[in-house]
Amino acid sequence: MYNNILNSLETVINSNQAVATDKLVEAIYSSDNKVNFDVVNLADKNLTIFNTMANDKSSKSFLIVVGNVIDIDDAYINALMFIMDNKHFRAYTLGEIIDASSNDYRLISYKTVQDDTISGSFENNSILERGVKDVPDKIKDKVGLKVNGSKFSLSVKRSLFIFEKI
């Protein structure tokens, strides 16, 4: 069973690596095995989603989670991501996701689908400019935050998790 889900998802993931996370979630949900699993985009959810899904009587045995993972839990980076897209709840670390899921789910597979570069530009004296410029150098280095004039970019990992309900 695991191999069928993983093989189907590999095909969907490999054909959709360049698309945005929400489009990848759509593509996975539209795939042939959708009767076997639920799919969640973690970008607009908090970590209580694991408990919520596990307690939902209509939830499936498997949970596919797609989300951006950062290497450090950092308020600066999450603030920047929220300013850029106010639907974005926050990016989590791998450890946070595994800890939050462990009471209800067993991690079967974890894969970084691709490293995403999030980029944008800001106007002088904007909230976004202040947010970008306030990030400490040690954080900039960890997330690859680069600033060039009024343009900036940072790196996050688009990741896919497959959990089995326990």
Side-chain angles (χ1 to χ4, degrees), residues 15-84:
S15 64
N16 288 282
Q17 279 194 340
V19 300
T21 300
D22 57 341
K23 298 294 183 196
L24 181 58
V25 169
E26 251 178 62
I28 292 169
Y29 191 74
S30 299
S31 68
D32 293 337
N33 274 332
K34 70 181 174 189
V35 295
N36 296 326
F37 54 77
D38 293 308
V39 183
V40 169
N41 180 354
L42 200 54
D44 57 0
K45 306 278 188 286
N46 67 36
L47 293 177
T48 60
I49 191 64
F50 291 103
N51 185 264
T52 302
M53 293 296 293
N55 290 321
D56 182 344
K57 295 201 186 310
S58 65
S59 68
K60 310 289 193 293
S61 298
F62 295 95
L63 176 63
I64 311 301
V65 176
V66 180
N68 290 328
V69 176
I70 56 178
D71 292 333
I72 55 170
D73 180 15
D74 183 70
Y76 290 102
I77 300 308
N78 277 302
L80 288 179
M81 293 174 84
F82 179 76
I83 292 167
M84 293 171 61

Side-chain angles (χ1 to χ4, degrees), residues 141-156:
D141 292 342
K142 285 197 182 264
V143 297
L145 177 61
K146 296 178 180 27
V147 181
N148 183 5
S150 64
K151 296 182 187 222
F152 70 94
S153 63
L154 63 103
S155 297
V156 296

Side-chain angles (χ1 to χ4, degrees), residues 55-117:
N55 290 321
D56 182 344
K57 295 201 186 310
S58 65
S59 68
K60 310 289 193 293
S61 298
F62 295 95
L63 176 63
I64 311 301
V65 176
V66 180
N68 290 328
V69 176
I70 56 178
D71 292 333
I72 55 170
D73 180 15
D74 183 70
Y76 290 102
I77 300 308
N78 277 302
L80 288 179
M81 293 174 84
F82 179 76
I83 292 167
M84 293 171 61
D85 177 3
N86 65 4
K87 291 180 282 184
H88 174 83
F89 194 78
R90 69 173 282 226
Y92 297 100
T93 65
L94 179 59
E96 288 175 309
I97 294 168
I98 291 171
D99 287 348
S101 65
S102 64
N103 288 333
D104 303 299
Y105 290 93
R106 177 174 71 94
L107 181 63
I108 295 172
S109 179
Y110 163 72
K111 178 178 182 170
T112 296
V113 179
Q114 75 181 56
D115 289 338
D116 280 339
T117 299

